[in-house]
């Protein structure tokens, strides 16, 4: 987000999971993972401000605060929250006006996709899987992006759960019963294997499996609640939905 706002020179260190933009990995020292961090290495960089995400990083934040560092941990989980995060981060680093303009641009892009989706003849039912063993689904911002792109998430009730462990499917057979037209996979840190999904017991009865509608959404453009999900991620979902509608409308 800071690169998108032209504020990359402020960044003194990044997470090892940073992949966007690619140049960041070449320019910035990697001093943390996601649930752990090299506290002493971070302190050597003398940051004025540390930005993190989610309750999962609470221990990292607490240790840095104890060491005298100012820390901001956001915990946004919705599309609205992502757009608002752009505005808040921009304000915190003194570039509120460009951040507001960028947030408005992101919202206009979403509105345009939603307008296109409203013209589709049918809305497919979609199952999104972020992990396979055990199956995990229902990320709120993904469910919302699916809806914006013209589909309906088959597990909308799980979108209210922020923690992955609360979104584990106790019975994978429930996917069969909910009969999604499209299956989207984005297995965090590894390649989605549609043939493995299709081979699950009883899943041959699912319309998506029967019709070969199993698609991968690359993790960096959908599993992080940031600009990528609101641009490349939602556009990829919209493309898949539109092509499905052309075949099944």
């Amino acid at each position: 987000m800071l690169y998108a706002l032209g504020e990359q020179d402020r960044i003194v260190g990044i997470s090892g999971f940073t992949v966007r933009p690619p140049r960041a990995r070449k320019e910035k020292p990697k001093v943390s993972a996601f649930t752990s961090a090299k506290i002493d290495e971070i302190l050597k960089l003398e940051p004025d401000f540390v930005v993190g995400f989610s309750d999962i990083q609470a221990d990292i934040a607490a240790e840095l605060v104890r060491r005298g560092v100012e820390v901001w941990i956001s915990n946004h989980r919705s599309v609205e929250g992502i757009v608002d995060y752009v505005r808040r981060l921009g304000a915190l680093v003194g570039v509120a006006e460009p951040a507001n303009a960028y947030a408005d641009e992101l919202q206009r892009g979403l509105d345009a996709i939603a307008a296109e989706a409203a013209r589709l003849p049918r809305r497919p039912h979609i199952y999104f899987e972020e992990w396979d063993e055990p199956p995990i689904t229902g990320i709120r911002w993904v469910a919302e992006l699916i809806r914006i792109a013209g589909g309906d998430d088959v597990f909308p009730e799980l979108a209210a759960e922020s923690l992955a462990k609360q979104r584990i499917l106790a019975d994978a057979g429930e996917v069969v019963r909910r009969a999604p037209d499209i299956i989207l996979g984005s297995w965090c840190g590894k390649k989605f294997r549609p043939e493995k999904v299709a081979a699950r017991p009883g899943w041959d009865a699912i319309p998506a499996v029967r019709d070969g509608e199993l698609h991968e959404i690359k993790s960096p453009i959908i599993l992080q609640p940031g600009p990528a999900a609101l641009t490349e991620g939602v556009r990829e979902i919209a493309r898949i939905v539109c092509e499905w509608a052309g075949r099944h409308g």
Side-chain angles (χ1 to χ4, degrees):
M1 225 170 261
L2 289 170
Y3 269 88
L5 294 172
E7 297 298 314
Q8 61 272 12
D9 290 345
R10 294 176 180 268
I11 304 169
V12 295
I14 60 173
S15 158
F17 286 93
T18 301
V19 294
R20 295 174 59 88
R23 59 182 278 207
R25 296 184 67 81
K26 301 175 183 178
E27 299 175 343
K28 310 295 181 181
K30 294 179 281 292
V31 291
S32 79
F34 186 50
T35 59
S36 62
K38 301 173 183 176
I39 300 297
D40 289 338
E41 294 300 311
I42 293 174
L43 295 175
K44 286 178 185 177
L45 297 173
E46 300 182 342
D48 302 303
F49 187 48
V50 170
V51 180
F53 170 70
S54 93
D55 45 284
I56 296 174
Q57 294 190 330
D59 290 342
I60 299 173
E63 181 59 26
L64 287 168
V65 169
R66 281 192 287 267
R67 302 285 286 270
V69 180
E70 186 171 347
V71 180
W72 179 45
I73 298 289
S74 63
N75 213 1
H76 54 287
R77 305 281 177 169
S78 65
V79 169
E80 181 182 10
I82 297 171
V83 175
D84 183 58
Y85 176 80
V86 175
R87 302 184 194 280
R88 288 185 292 151
L89 181 60
L92 282 167
V93 300
V95 290
E97 189 172 335
N100 284 332
Y102 184 45
D104 291 342
E105 178 187 333
L106 291 172
Q107 188 61 58
R108 284 194 298 271
L110 294 172
D111 292 343
I113 290 172
E116 286 288 323
R119 291 193 281 270
L120 294 174
R122 284 180 60 195
R123 295 179 65 86
H125 295 99
I126 298 177
Y127 168 62
F128 178 84
E129 186 171 279
E130 65 175 286
W131 193 247
D132 60 329
E133 295 178 344
I136 302 176
T137 187
I139 302 176
R140 180 175 174 182
W141 70 84
V142 178
E144 293 175 350
L145 291 175
I146 286 172
R147 188 160 55 249
I148 289 169
D152 291 308
D153 181 12
V154 297
F155 287 99
E157 72 276 14
L158 293 181
E161 303 292 348
S162 63
L163 300 180
K165 65 182 180 181
Q166 295 170 330
R167 293 183 278 103
I168 295 173
L169 295 180
D171 177 11
E174 186 60 26
V175 180
V176 180
R177 290 185 284 276
R178 299 199 184 195
D181 301 297
I182 297 172
I183 292 176
L184 302 177
S186 188
W187 295 347
C188 185
K190 65 179 182 180
K191 184 174 176 56
F192 177 62
R193 299 280 301 279
E195 72 281 3
K196 287 186 66 176
V197 174
R200 291 172 183 169
W203 282 45
D204 55 342
I206 297 175
V209 174
R210 181 192 63 218
D211 298 334
E213 296 285 358
L214 294 89
H215 308 272
E216 180 176 28
I217 307 289
K218 299 293 185 182
S219 299
I221 66 169
I222 198 65
L223 291 185
Q224 299 173 5
L230 271 52
T231 53
E232 292 178 50
V234 69
R235 285 198 295 266
E236 181 63 6
I237 297 172
R239 180 191 66 79
I240 292 168
V241 169
C242 184
E243 291 180 357
W244 176 89
R247 289 188 290 269
H248 304 279

